[in-house]
Amino acid sequence: MGEDDKAGENIFRDLFNSINDPMYLVNINQDGSPGRFQDVNEAACRVLGYTREELLKLSPRDINIPSNHGRFSNDFFHELRSNGRMTYESTHLSKLGESIPVEANASVLHYKNQRYYVVIARNISNRKLAEQALKASESRYRRIIETMQEGFGEIDLGGRIISTNAHLHQMFGYPQDEMIGLNMIEDLLFPEDQPMMHERQKGRRQGQAGAYDQRFRTKTGGTMWAIVTATPVRNTEGIVCGSFAMMTDITERKRAEEALKISERSLSEAQQLAHIGNWKWTVETDEVQWSKELYRITGLNPELPLPAYADMGSIYTKESWELLKQAVAVTVSLGTSYELELDMIRPDGQIRCCNTRGIAVKDESGRVICLSGTVQDITAFKQGEKEKAEIKAQLVLSSK
């Protein structure tokens, strides 16, 4: 070998050993299968724990885990020779039996009329650990999503549903495979509700979160109400790419609220017809509550704060206020009830005759905590009684 050849060999050896990843030069048998190692670099010896001399007595089969042997068939190496290079993952075994996951870059080298497989095997243990941690995290995330009592959905910027948990598609009455791909706005909202949701989606694209009550349309066309908490989702570059939506079914609550509204409306109408208002006074906090009809009876503005109990004297005549104060004091002290006819003074100066009733409400210890009752405007009734009496008196006089 000439001096130039020796110099070239030394340069090749230096380059070979300067590579940080294990590198293997493999003889190729006549049938194309890999033979023994022709050469290995220092990194290969360090990672696998063999000396160079020990490795040169081995073949790639000896450093791969047994479960991988079937992968490296004649077809595998035929494809490698045809393409000239190949990247694949495998698991190597150290001298001590330690498994080392690697990403191998294999190529075919022609050198001095000989063919070799050249394999650079990068240790990807850290990457595999990260992938396993990511899978475990995704698994925990999916378990949390699937076991939560709220519906959960991932939605893209176009409003298409990407994924759901079981509870969400149960809320809407869809099988999960049918719900994926539906448009949250066009397919699950009533037409009259869609413009508002489009506005909300604009805010979501700008990175705005939101929480609101929303009416939805189920698969059967029924109505489902939900509290929706929507959060923008950003990609790795910080750009909004969709949103997460959490939904809590409040359909029963909405039905109860509607039933309560109907009941309150009916009560208000009944009170208006009978000119009866109701009230409540909490003793400890001095909080006073009135029904709408009681505002109408007294003529006070329902938009303004109510006076405290101690200031109620302004809406009664002096005599009536004294009677009411005495009755309330006894009721608070003894837990009794009262019924009085009192004269109220409206802001326009009109005096209304009212039948006022009050009862005590006690806690578990028997202490009076509040008073509640009714006020009925009997002015018309009293006026009618007065007119009857006058007519009767006139009849008596005329009969004499």
Side-chain angles (χ1 to χ4, degrees):
M1 180 180 296
E3 291 299 322
D4 291 341
D5 290 337
K6 286 183 179 179
E9 288 286 345
N10 289 335
I11 292 173
F12 172 78
R13 170 59 51 190
D14 290 341
L15 288 172
F16 195 53
N17 286 322
S18 68
I19 297 174
N20 291 324
D21 294 321
M23 186 172 180
Y24 308 90
L25 189 65
V26 186
N27 290 301
I28 301 178
N29 296 326
Q30 290 185 351
D31 62 357
S33 63
R36 290 184 178 181
F37 295 121
Q38 176 67 25
D39 205 352
V40 296
N41 68 352
E42 292 176 358
C45 299
R46 183 179 65 253
V47 170
L48 295 180
Y50 289 99
T51 64
R52 180 171 179 272
E53 290 71 21
E54 288 174 328
L55 276 174
L56 295 184
K57 296 177 182 179
L58 304 177
S59 70
R61 182 182 179 88
D62 297 318
I63 66 168
N64 275 279
I65 60 174
S67 59
N68 274 349
H69 290 170
R71 243 182 95 192
F72 302 114
S73 62
N74 289 336
D75 291 339
F76 177 89
F77 292 103
H78 176 75
E79 182 180 350
L80 172 58
R81 292 192 303 276
S82 298
N83 296 333
R85 64 180 58 253
M86 184 181 293
T87 300
Y88 59 91
E89 290 187 7
S90 184
T91 304
H92 286 175
L93 277 175
S94 71
K95 185 177 180 179
L96 298 177
E98 178 189 3
S99 295
I100 305 169
V102 298
E103 181 181 75
N105 288 283
S107 59
V108 179
L109 172 68
H110 295 269
Y111 181 70
K112 293 184 178 180
N113 298 321
Q114 295 291 327
R115 291 188 309 166
Y116 302 94
Y117 293 132
V118 179
V119 181
I120 300 176
R122 171 159 294 176
N123 187 334
I124 57 172
S125 297
N126 290 337
R127 191 178 86 188
K128 286 295 182 182
L129 289 174
E131 288 175 354
Q132 291 171 7
L134 179 60
K135 286 181 180 179
S137 176
E138 288 175 345
S139 178
R140 287 194 299 271
Y141 161 78
R142 178 47 58 182
R143 285 199 303 272
I144 292 170
I145 294 300
E146 287 299 332
T147 56
M148 67 195 325
Q149 294 304 305
E150 292 80 11
F152 175 87
E154 184 178 1
I155 304 158
D156 68 16
L157 286 179
R160 298 285 173 185
I161 298 172
I162 301 172
S163 66
T164 70
N165 67 351
H167 196 68
L168 185 69
H169 62 81
Q170 288 169 6
M171 287 167 63
F172 283 90
Y174 284 92
Q176 190 167 20
D177 57 346
E178 288 186 22
M179 198 162 187
I180 302 300
L182 291 181
N183 189 287
M184 179 63 74
I185 298 177
E186 297 172 4
D187 297 322
L188 300 180
L189 291 182
F190 292 96
E192 58 269 30
D193 297 332
Q194 293 178 11
M196 176 61 75
M197 186 60 79
H198 279 298
E199 290 300 314
R200 289 185 175 127
Q201 286 293 87
K202 289 180 183 178
R204 211 76 65 244
R205 294 187 189 99
Q206 296 171 2
Q208 299 172 7
Y212 46 87
D213 290 4
Q214 182 63 54
R215 182 179 63 160
F216 290 97
R217 182 177 58 198
T218 65
K219 183 179 181 180
T220 59
T223 297
M224 188 271 292
W225 279 91
I227 297 176
V228 181
T229 303
T231 307
V233 177
R234 300 178 184 271
N235 59 21
T236 55
E237 298 176 352
I239 300 172
V240 175
C241 58
S243 61
F244 289 147
M246 296 270 291
M247 299 187 191
T248 303
D249 189 339
I250 58 169
T251 306
E252 290 304 316
R253 192 191 84 184
K254 283 290 185 179
R255 288 173 181 164
E257 289 175 354
E258 186 59 29
L260 179 60
K261 287 179 181 178
I262 294 172
S263 176
E264 289 177 343
R265 188 162 56 247
S266 298
L267 176 61
S268 178
E269 291 170 355
Q271 287 188 347
Q272 188 173 1
L273 289 171
H275 301 294
I276 297 176
N278 63 287
W279 55 269
K280 179 181 178 181
W281 173 51
T282 302
V283 177
E284 187 172 337
T285 62
D286 199 20
E287 180 185 4
V288 179
Q289 295 171 288
W290 282 5
S291 68
K292 290 181 180 180
E293 182 59 21
L294 190 48
Y295 278 102
R296 282 192 285 267
I297 292 172
T298 60
L300 296 182
N301 186 348
E303 300 297 325
L304 298 178
L306 276 172
Y309 165 69
D311 300 324
M312 288 287 178
S314 61
I315 63 174
Y316 291 97
T317 62
K318 183 177 180 180
E319 295 79 7
S320 291
W321 176 234
E322 290 299 325
L323 287 173
L324 181 60
K325 283 198 300 182
Q326 293 175 16
V328 168
V330 173
T331 301
V332 171
S333 174
L334 303 179
T336 56
S337 61
Y338 65 84
E339 180 174 359
L340 303 169
E341 283 191 10
L342 304 174
D343 290 330
M344 281 186 170
I345 306 174
R346 291 167 58 92
D348 60 5
Q350 290 186 36
I351 295 179
R352 313 298 292 183
C353 183
C354 297
N355 179 273
T356 302
R357 298 183 182 188
I359 60 172
V361 179
K362 304 176 184 178
D363 61 15
E364 294 179 353
S365 67
R367 183 172 63 95
V368 174
I369 56 174
C370 68
L371 271 61
S372 64
T374 60
V375 174
Q376 182 177 19
D377 184 350
I378 57 173
T379 305
F381 172 77
K382 285 290 186 180
Q383 185 63 35
E385 289 294 308
K386 181 180 178 181
E387 291 175 357
K388 286 181 184 180
E390 290 175 352
I391 292 171
K392 186 175 180 180
Q394 290 175 3
L395 291 174
V396 169
L397 289 174
S398 63
S399 65
K400 290 181 178 180

